[in-house]
């Protein structure tokens, strides 16, 4: 039995869960989300808990058991608390400026880079060098943060670039002088 999959998911008081076949709809104060569970896995609501079960111990069923439970749990956390990912911009002259809902980055290129938020994502600019990506979908928040980081990855010699908040960049030693 999957250690993650066999744990029940407690439904908070302000969350509504509706199961229609393999589709699980979660509605909460921050919005609503839907996840489609893979076929051998079954989902049931008992009282204020969601139980995710698998029919057998085949490899495919075991793989999808814990995944399905985690996807439902992530949706419940998303509609109640939401997710956020912090980014830091390091480097002389590297900065970000809010342009409406979009963010304009100056990252040492010959042109500024304008990033528009996808649907369901919001940018919060704490300072010109600190940015937070906020949303209810954990996967979309992480993907958006990764795409922004990809604009200028931290380089190993001076550490300049966009990094996740708290990320440690391993530095290399430069070339030795005479």
């Amino acid at each position: 039995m999957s250690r993650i999959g066999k744990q029940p998911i407690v439904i908070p008081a302000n969350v509504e869960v509706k199961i229609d076949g393999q589709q699980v709809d979660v509605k909460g104060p921050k919005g609503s989300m839907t996840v489609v569970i893979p076929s051998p896995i079954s989902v049931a609501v008992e009282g204020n808990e969601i139980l995710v079960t698998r029919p057998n111990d085949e490899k495919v069923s075991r793989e999808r058991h814990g995944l399905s439970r985690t996807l439902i749990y992530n949706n419940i956390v998303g509609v109640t608390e939401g997710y956020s990912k912090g980014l830091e911009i390091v480097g002389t002259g590297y900065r970000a400026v809010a342009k409406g809902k979009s963010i304009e980055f100056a990252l040492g290129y010959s042109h500024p880079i304008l990033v528009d938020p996808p649907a369901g994502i919001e940018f919060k600019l704490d300072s010109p060098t600190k940015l937070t990506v906020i949303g209810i979908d954990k996967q979309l928040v992480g993907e958006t943060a990764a795409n922004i980081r990809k604009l200028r990855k931290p380089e190993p010699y001076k550490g300049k670039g966009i990094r996740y908040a708290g990320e440690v960049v391993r530095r290399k030693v430069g070339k030795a002088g005479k």
Side-chain angles (χ1 to χ4, degrees):
M1 202 65 178
S2 170
R3 285 180 287 181
I4 293 172
K6 69 181 176 183
Q7 297 174 356
I9 304 170
V10 177
I11 303 172
N14 53 359
V15 174
E16 179 185 323
V17 177
K18 191 176 98 179
I19 298 172
D20 183 27
Q22 295 299 104
Q23 182 172 318
V24 179
D25 297 321
V26 180
K27 193 177 290 183
K30 290 196 178 256
S32 62
M33 296 183 70
T34 301
V35 64
V36 178
I37 302 302
S39 61
I41 307 300
S42 60
V43 182
V45 176
E46 292 183 11
N48 69 335
E49 292 184 336
I50 300 174
L51 299 175
V52 181
T53 56
R54 65 177 187 230
N56 51 36
D57 279 345
E58 291 181 10
K59 187 174 186 337
V60 175
S61 299
R62 289 194 319 255
E63 289 171 348
R64 296 179 178 173
H65 189 202
L67 170 71
S68 301
R69 189 245 183 227
T70 302
L71 290 175
I72 296 169
Y73 179 75
N74 286 346
N75 284 358
I76 289 176
V77 171
V79 298
T80 54
E81 301 167 22
Y83 289 100
S84 66
K85 192 85 168 163
L87 295 166
E88 298 172 350
I89 304 170
V90 178
T92 306
Y94 290 11
R95 60 181 162 46
V97 178
K99 298 272 183 172
K101 290 187 175 195
S102 303
I103 300 286
E104 185 179 80
F105 291 96
L107 299 172
Y109 296 118
S110 62
H111 58 284
I113 300 169
L114 189 68
V115 176
D116 296 321
I121 295 293
E122 178 184 321
F123 294 139
K124 180 180 166 201
L125 201 59
D126 303 325
S127 72
T129 59
K130 292 195 185 316
L131 170 74
T132 307
V133 180
I134 303 168
I136 62 171
D137 188 353
K138 186 176 186 177
Q139 292 173 325
L140 190 58
V141 168
E143 182 181 359
T144 305
N147 288 337
I148 291 172
R149 182 181 183 269
K150 203 183 332 179
L151 297 174
R152 178 72 91 172
K153 288 184 182 173
E155 53 99 11
Y157 295 101
K158 291 186 178 181
K160 295 174 11 176
I162 301 174
R163 61 177 79 168
Y164 297 120
E167 179 182 4
V168 177
V169 176
R170 293 194 55 193
R171 302 285 294 275
K172 289 184 179 178
V173 179
K175 73 177 185 180
K178 290 184 181 180

